[in-house]
Amino acid sequence: MGNLVAIVGRPNVGKSTLFNRLTNSRQAIVSDQAGTTRDRQYGKCEWCGREFSVVDTGGWVVNSDDIFEEEIRKQVIIATEEADLVLFLCDIKNGVTDLDEDVAQILRKAKLPTLLVLNKADDGKDLYGQYDFYKLGLGDPWCVSAATGSGTGDLLDKIMEMLPEKKEDGLEEGIPRFAVVGRPNAGKSSIINAFIGEDRHIVTDIAGTTRDSIYTRYDKFGFDFYLVDTAGIRRKNKVSEDLEFYSVMRSIRAIENSDVCILMIDATRGIEAQDMNIFQLIQKNNKSLVVAVNKWDLVEDKSQIAIETFENAIRERMAPFRDFPIIFTSALTKQRIFKVLETAKQVYLNRKSRIGTTKLNEVMLPIIEATPPPSIKGKYIKIKYVSQVPDTQIPSFIFYANLPQYVKEPYRRFLENKIRENWTLTGTPINVFIRQK
């Protein structure tokens, strides 16, 4: 189970700067794929060999100039429901504001581990301001400067100390985990109920706390997998469901703990920004994908042309990753529900597939010879050999070249497409590395 840390606070206290500071060690490796601007709101931080996810709640508030205090309060409540630890960020130069006091009150009630972090402590004089913050009743403040990085190492040590140790989830190894994700009302619970049917006794629920995903073991009709269900238990103070931030926070854990994500899209509404946000989370975590377009029974025009138009629209939005299955289902009439499970199983097998080195070279080298990487500054790039890396999370291929630094992204994508044309890797992401031979 990964840990989740949420950064909360009013606007302009430096939440994004702190977020970048905590996650940027990885940003370089992750390479920023083009995506929504909201992409910056979720990342991973590694410290002393442990890893946790960080969510910056700031990016989810609409028009930041005249900020709705109500929105901020809602987000803080959601964050306390979903996260393991909250970093409450204040501006040491500004002192305590009314909104800070409101947020502190929510956090004190939530009984969730909270760290009070004072940002913009750029020089020694600023530190005198910290004593004012004791009145928030959240213990000792931690002074940092997210912009220069001072104090962040100590802060990370403290975060590590406060995060719960990873607990084993007690699931059998080697059994695929499927997560059903999507925005509220896309039909997640209906499809889960349709999978499981009323025969709840075939199903063994593995209990978790509210924050954990609930795993359901499904073994009948030749299937054996865990269903990761985060639609789980909701607390009393249900926040209005349409909050985008809410659906993203709900999805993070399910996605991180699964192998294959079944992304539910509402056929009556088409693809929306929220679907894209969840898709981005799936991609960032390198998970395999099956798209299920639900409520297909409500769509008037079910012609082949309508289906193709819808499919193309989905693939366009999710490009450059286009190689994933799309299934039109109805949880209500149970139409093609089984197809979703079969496809998820197949996608999981694709994720685990191994391609022999001899076969890889037989197929790929002639293709590369026919269309070599474009020469740069008169230098010709030669790729001599390719192999698949054993035991990786997703299929990963290394191409050995004389000048790997000159092989650019478009050519890498070309190689990926050729691998996909020759082997079935539908639904699963691929890594393509170019290394010095």
Side-chain angles (χ1 to χ4, degrees):
M1 285 283 186
N3 286 318
L4 187 54
V5 173
I7 304 175
V8 304
R10 56 189 179 75
N12 300 332
V13 291
K15 291 191 292 293
S16 308
T17 319
L18 181 63
F19 172 81
N20 291 341
R21 175 68 59 187
L22 295 178
T23 55
N24 69 0
S25 50
R26 290 180 59 105
Q27 226 68 6
I29 312 170
V30 176
S31 87
D32 279 339
Q33 284 141 345
T36 58
T37 38
R38 298 267 164 98
D39 232 17
R40 303 280 171 285
Q41 272 49 40
Y42 161 83
K44 290 194 169 22
C45 172
E46 209 173 278
W47 187 253
C48 301
R50 278 175 69 189
E51 189 182 74
F52 58 90
S53 305
V54 191
V55 176
D56 163 20
T57 60
W60 264 276
V61 175
V62 229
N63 48 15
S64 46
D65 305 334
D66 94 280
I67 210 61
F68 306 120
E69 302 188 355
E70 200 33 51
E71 287 287 306
I72 294 175
R73 286 192 199 101
K74 271 184 196 166
Q75 286 186 347
V76 173
I77 291 171
I78 295 172
T80 57
E81 292 194 349
E82 301 296 331
D84 297 301
L85 172 67
V86 168
L87 301 182
F88 174 27
L89 203 58
C90 297
D91 179 340
I92 197 167
K93 287 183 161 58
N94 264 353
V96 178
T97 67
D98 294 349
L99 189 51
D100 289 335
E101 293 191 350
D102 288 354
V103 172
Q105 191 181 354
I106 298 173
L107 292 173
R108 286 197 308 269
K109 273 197 190 133
K111 310 244 188 313
L112 180 77
T114 301
L115 272 178
L116 175 57
V117 183
L118 306 184
N119 190 21
K120 308 192 187 175
D122 303 318
D123 57 43
K125 289 199 291 293
D126 294 325
L127 296 176
Y128 292 121
Q130 64 178 306
Y131 302 109
D132 195 19
F133 287 87
Y134 277 95
K135 69 177 181 203
L136 293 178
L138 291 168
D140 295 329
W142 287 77
C143 299
V144 302
S145 164
T148 62
S150 81
T152 44
D154 296 342
L155 176 65
L156 277 161
D157 288 340
K158 183 67 181 167
I159 291 175
M160 285 306 165
E161 195 183 300
M162 293 179 72
L163 280 179
E165 277 296 318
K166 268 194 161 174
K167 51 180 184 306
E168 282 311 302
D169 41 27
L171 303 188
E172 274 182 51
E173 281 303 303
I175 293 179
R177 302 174 183 193
F178 300 162
V180 179
V181 293
R183 52 186 175 65
N185 286 332
K188 297 189 291 293
S189 351
S190 339
I191 203 163
I192 288 172
N193 291 340
F195 287 157
I196 293 169
E198 292 314 297
D199 309 65
R200 288 297 295 197
H201 60 266
I202 305 183
V203 174
T204 32
D205 274 344
I206 295 163
T209 65
T210 339
R211 285 199 185 81
D212 292 340
S213 309
I214 296 169
Y215 294 97
T216 304
R217 177 82 177 260
Y218 181 104
D219 46 359
K220 50 181 180 178
F221 309 125
F223 290 112
D224 190 4
F225 60 86
Y226 287 111
L227 211 51
V228 187
D229 178 10
T230 48
I233 318 143
R234 286 297 293 146
R235 301 280 182 72
K236 289 188 296 291
N237 48 0
K238 213 172 186 172
V239 187
S240 63
E241 291 288 4
D242 50 56
L243 247 103
E244 213 168 320
F245 173 62
Y246 160 81
S247 66
V248 171
M249 285 292 280
R250 290 300 280 159
S251 313
I252 289 176
R253 276 221 165 68
I255 291 170
E256 289 185 347
N257 295 328
S258 67
D259 300 304
V260 179
C261 295
I262 299 168
L263 174 59
M264 304 280 295
I265 290 177
D266 183 335
T268 59
R269 297 178 63 161
I271 273 211
E272 299 184 324
Q274 223 164 323
D275 301 313
M276 289 308 296
N277 280 329
I278 294 174
F279 170 68
Q280 233 100 38
L281 287 174
I282 296 171
Q283 268 212 306
K284 261 200 165 144
N285 280 292
N286 275 334
K287 301 302 181 186
S288 304
L289 172 70
V290 175
V291 171
V293 179
N294 190 28
K295 308 190 186 176
W296 194 238
D297 51 321
L298 303 178
V299 174
E300 311 252 306
D301 179 6
K302 295 188 175 61
S303 64
Q304 197 49 41
I305 297 174
I307 290 180
E308 280 167 17
T309 315
F310 207 124
E311 282 198 3
N312 290 337
I314 293 176
R315 293 193 203 280
E316 275 312 300
R317 290 291 299 272
M318 301 195 176
F321 181 43
R322 290 164 167 273
D323 186 14
F324 52 84
I326 299 175
I327 299 160
F328 293 85
T329 66
S330 159
L332 202 65
T333 62
K334 292 202 172 29
Q335 184 186 17
R336 284 190 280 281
I337 288 290
F338 236 65
K339 181 86 186 288
V340 175
L341 291 185
E342 279 165 4
T343 311
K345 181 178 174 180
Q346 187 51 52
V347 163
Y348 176 76
L349 295 174
N350 296 351
R351 186 184 176 83
K352 294 281 170 237
S353 59
R354 298 270 312 129
I355 301 168
T357 307
T358 324
K359 194 85 192 108
L360 254 179
N361 285 284
E362 264 172 29
V363 174
M364 292 304 292
L365 291 183
I367 293 176
I368 293 170
E369 212 150 297
T371 39
S375 60
I376 289 186
K377 302 183 186 128
K379 293 194 165 68
Y380 290 98
I381 303 159
K382 292 187 182 61
I383 295 178
K384 281 287 182 350
Y385 178 76
V386 52
S387 70
Q388 184 177 353
V389 192
D391 303 326
T392 45
Q393 243 218 322
I394 57 172
S396 305
F397 302 91
I398 296 188
F399 289 81
Y400 292 95
N402 54 346
L403 301 162
Q405 68 277 23
Y406 288 143
V407 180
K408 297 285 184 274
E409 187 53 41
Y411 194 76
R412 207 174 283 178
R413 204 165 288 159
F414 165 78
L415 293 174
E416 175 178 330
N417 290 340
K418 290 299 171 200
I419 293 175
R420 289 186 185 278
E421 275 168 34
N422 287 285
W423 290 278
T424 316
L425 292 166
T426 304
T428 200
I430 301 181
N431 282 329
V432 171
F433 301 109
I434 317 282
R435 296 267 190 275
Q436 190 73 41
K437 67 164 189 273

